[in-house]
Amino acid sequence: MSSALHEGPYLESWRWMSRQIRCGLAPDEPRLIEHYLAEGRYLAACTSTSPWTIAVTTFRLLLDTASDTALPWQWRTLCLDHAWRPLRDIETQALCTCRLKRWQSFAWQLATCELEPSISLTELLQGFPDE
């Protein structure tokens, strides 16, 4: 079996989990993030998917989700709490100057990330006022 055939179902599963995380579809299921990270590690180690791409995509997903004020606070903080893990993987993959600079930029983004309060459910239901 070629690696591309073997990779397909895992890559699709990993992408589906990323959508669930980014949209906060299961904010009371913290194991989803663990499962997503494990699936990414499998893809990076056992398929032709680039470990660098997996790590960068995972980091961006977690940091972007943490910054999304429309999502529940506990989900956002959980994503922020896990963002160091792909950042560590990015650092181990930073074997050239351009990648090292990207890692430094990502490390700075994580170090300086300040979460705004989440929008309340009432505010979400009300939407934007008519002008």
Side-chain angles (χ1 to χ4, degrees):
M1 180 189 288
S2 76
S3 68
L5 288 175
H6 187 64
E7 175 181 43
Y10 292 99
L11 190 57
E12 194 53 41
S13 173
W14 185 70
R15 287 178 177 154
W16 170 240
M17 284 185 276
S18 72
R19 287 187 291 272
Q20 289 178 301
I21 290 169
R22 185 61 187 91
C23 296
L25 298 179
D28 295 324
E29 186 48 72
R31 294 174 295 182
L32 176 61
I33 295 173
E34 284 294 329
H35 191 74
Y36 174 73
L37 293 170
E39 197 88 1
R41 284 191 301 274
Y42 174 82
L43 284 168
C46 301
T47 71
S48 61
T49 306
S50 162
W52 173 263
T53 301
I54 296 288
V56 169
T57 301
T58 301
F59 176 76
R60 289 295 341 145
L61 172 83
L62 293 173
L63 201 60
D64 290 348
T65 303
S67 301
D68 189 342
T69 59
L71 297 174
W73 179 257
Q74 82 275 7
W75 187 246
R76 296 172 57 214
T77 57
L78 188 63
C79 289
L80 186 62
D81 288 345
H82 281 83
W84 68 270
R85 295 171 72 185
L87 184 63
R88 176 194 59 205
D89 296 339
I90 293 168
E91 182 182 21
T92 63
Q93 297 289 320
L95 304 176
C96 63
T97 305
C98 62
R99 284 187 174 185
L100 184 59
K101 286 182 180 181
R102 287 209 48 208
W103 171 78
Q104 290 170 334
S105 172
F106 292 149
W108 179 254
Q109 290 172 35
L110 182 58
T112 59
C113 181
E114 292 185 31
L115 299 186
E116 297 292 324
S118 290
I119 298 170
S120 72
L121 184 57
T122 307
E123 291 173 307
L124 283 172
L125 293 175
Q126 290 174 352
F128 292 103
D130 294 334
E131 292 184 26

